[in-house]
Amino acid sequence: MPVIVVPKGQVAGEHRVALVPDVARRLKALGAEIRIEKDMGGSAFFHDEDYGDDVSLAQDSAALYDKADIILSVQATLEDVEKMPDGCILIGFMAAHKQPELVKKLQQKKITALAMELVPRISRAQAIDALSSQASIAGYKAVLMGADMAPVFFPMLTTAAGTIRPASVLVIGAGVAGLQAIATARRLGAVVEAYDVRAATKEQCESLGAKFIDMDVKAEGEGGYARELTEAEKQQQRDVLADHIAKAHVVITTAAIPGRASPKIILQNMVARMRPGSVIVDLAAEGGGNCELTQPGETIEHGGVKIHAPLDVASQMPLHASEMYSKNLFNLLTLMIAEGNLKLDWEDEVITGSALTHDGEIKHAATRELLEGAA
């Protein structure tokens, strides 16, 4: 019987949790023993008693980690890894490109680390894709942020004082977050334009009620992401987008690739053309932002334009974010646990694609090259 443990999160400002009561019940039915640290779910409004008899409660991390086979986390930290038993399995977001010391410690302790940001974007892994589940929350929340900060109504209103025209919203990037942002802005009554370098997204944007900004730049890449644009393509992109950005009340940018810097799409001279009171919500702030003026984690004003660059947006809706993330973890664990037995199938492309480290080796090629280059 595999022992699954869930510690209380250590990252400041992170309110999501890795295990919710419903998933704990389902894991127990798979034949797992589950231990959680006291008040593990509190930040997402799940109390210890909500988990009932499906879990055993540990008063501290020392008691928690004893004989742990699998450890579930939201954001893994070096401090947590140092307490973990050698050779265990750790599942969570790793952000290896930002935490080289964490990767080295995982190697040293021969921990098998499955990084949720590395889950392959293939059809059979959609129910495991935590990047997508959390991005949908970020796209929804970004529109609410923009609506709150903008000095205008989103819907058209007919009043005794006259007709109020609807707000203009531009969404840049039509991945999961962008599509959710389009849908949410339309529900609030805004007129929405959308742009993505992947021409294949045009139909999706239009089906949600957005007008797609079409241009000759096509940049479909691997894994559902866009390839990097050439300098000539970047300039063409900026030339076309500048006019649309200038007319928008709210611009939401979502162009990000895990482990790499976010592309700079909105330059300072483009911001200067925006009308005072306009808002940019930069969801790509984790990677430095899509706007040249973005300061990650801050809200600044430039020429009367607010540039809001929130971090860890999904954590601002911890209850539903935790439910979605916990189900992603459960779906991954069903590939590893059957009839109470734990077995990693290294022929399974979901397991191999998600593996960051195993048995003292860095399995993820890009991380391995990054660390070797820094050595």
Side-chain angles (χ1 to χ4, degrees):
M1 177 182 290
V3 177
I4 300 175
V5 307
V6 191
K8 192 173 179 180
Q10 301 294 325
V11 177
E14 176 57 78
H15 303 297
R16 294 171 295 177
V17 299
L19 185 68
V20 301
D22 178 62
V23 172
R25 194 157 40 248
R26 294 166 71 181
L27 284 173
K28 184 178 180 181
L30 284 181
E33 177 186 343
I34 306 158
R35 302 176 186 171
I36 66 172
E37 188 172 358
K38 182 178 173 59
D39 198 32
M40 177 277 297
S43 61
F45 308 103
F46 298 106
H47 304 295
D48 291 341
E49 55 268 26
D50 296 333
Y51 294 86
D53 297 332
D54 297 315
V55 306
S56 58
L57 200 63
Q59 297 298 316
D60 55 49
S61 57
L64 179 74
Y65 287 126
D66 182 40
K67 298 180 181 178
D69 296 309
I70 302 172
I71 298 165
L72 305 181
S73 71
V74 178
Q75 296 191 59
T77 67
L78 180 60
E79 180 183 355
D80 281 330
V81 171
E82 287 174 338
K83 300 175 185 176
M84 294 176 187
D86 292 2
C88 68
I89 298 170
L90 170 63
I91 307 176
F93 287 113
M94 306 292 170
H97 62 291
K98 295 181 180 178
Q99 302 189 91
E101 293 305 316
L102 171 69
V103 179
K104 292 175 183 176
K105 183 60 68 173
L106 291 169
Q107 277 187 277
Q108 179 187 329
K109 302 191 73 164
K110 295 189 175 181
I111 290 174
T112 297
L114 302 181
M116 293 304 288
E117 67 268 32
L118 300 182
V119 171
R121 290 200 151 177
I122 56 177
S123 295
R124 62 180 289 260
Q126 286 181 352
I128 303 170
D129 187 355
L131 282 179
S132 291
S133 73
Q134 304 304 291
S136 66
I137 295 171
Y140 168 82
K141 191 69 173 178
V143 175
L144 301 187
M145 294 173 179
D148 182 52
M149 299 175 74
V152 297
F153 286 116
F154 262 42
M156 182 176 74
L157 296 178
T158 301
T159 74
T163 299
I164 305 296
R165 296 179 63 82
S168 173
V169 174
L170 171 60
V171 178
I172 299 176
V176 174
L179 292 173
Q180 185 62 253
I182 292 168
T184 304
R186 287 291 295 134
R187 289 190 199 106
L188 292 179
V191 174
V192 183
E193 291 188 309
Y195 170 71
D196 195 289
V197 293
R198 298 164 299 170
T201 63
K202 178 180 179 179
E203 185 176 339
Q204 293 173 296
C205 294
E206 291 178 341
S207 71
L208 293 171
K211 179 182 178 182
F212 192 78
I213 301 171
D214 217 341
M215 61 180 80
D216 292 333
V217 177
K218 313 297 181 190
E220 273 77 6
E222 296 180 358
Y225 298 105
R227 65 167 172 81
E228 188 171 356
L229 301 183
T230 66
E231 286 304 317
E233 288 173 330
K234 289 178 183 177
Q235 189 57 53
Q236 182 182 352
Q237 179 190 66
R238 290 163 182 158
D239 290 343
V240 174
L241 283 179
D243 290 339
H244 295 270
I245 290 169
K247 296 174 184 176
H249 294 104
V250 176
V251 178
I252 297 170
T253 66
T254 71
I257 301 176
R260 294 173 55 184
S262 304
K264 299 302 181 187
I265 297 171
I266 303 178
L267 303 185
Q268 182 172 335
N269 63 347
M270 298 163 74
V271 176
R273 291 184 56 192
M274 296 177 71
R275 67 185 104 190
S278 299
V279 177
I280 297 172
V281 180
D282 195 340
L283 284 185
E286 301 276 359
N290 293 142
C291 179
E292 194 173 48
L293 299 172
T294 289
Q295 295 181 22
E298 304 290 337
T299 301
I300 66 168
E301 192 168 312
H302 182 85
V305 177
K306 289 182 180 177
I307 303 169
H308 183 52
L311 301 174
D312 201 9
V313 178
S315 186
Q316 297 183 33
M317 292 182 60
L319 194 151
H320 280 158
S322 297
E323 287 181 347
M324 295 169 77
Y325 179 65
S326 188
K327 288 175 183 175
N328 292 144
L329 293 178
F330 173 80
N331 291 326
L332 177 58
L333 287 166
T334 59
L335 303 180
M336 303 158 51
I337 302 173
E339 299 179 353
N341 296 311
L342 171 62
K343 181 181 179 181
L344 282 178
D345 180 4
W346 292 104
E347 299 297 319
D348 189 323
E349 62 183 322
V350 177
I351 300 296
T352 56
S354 305
L356 175 63
T357 61
H358 174 66
D359 198 25
E361 297 182 19
I362 300 175
K363 305 295 285 186
H364 184 238
T367 301
R368 185 169 59 248
E369 291 167 8
L370 180 66
L371 266 64
E372 288 174 352

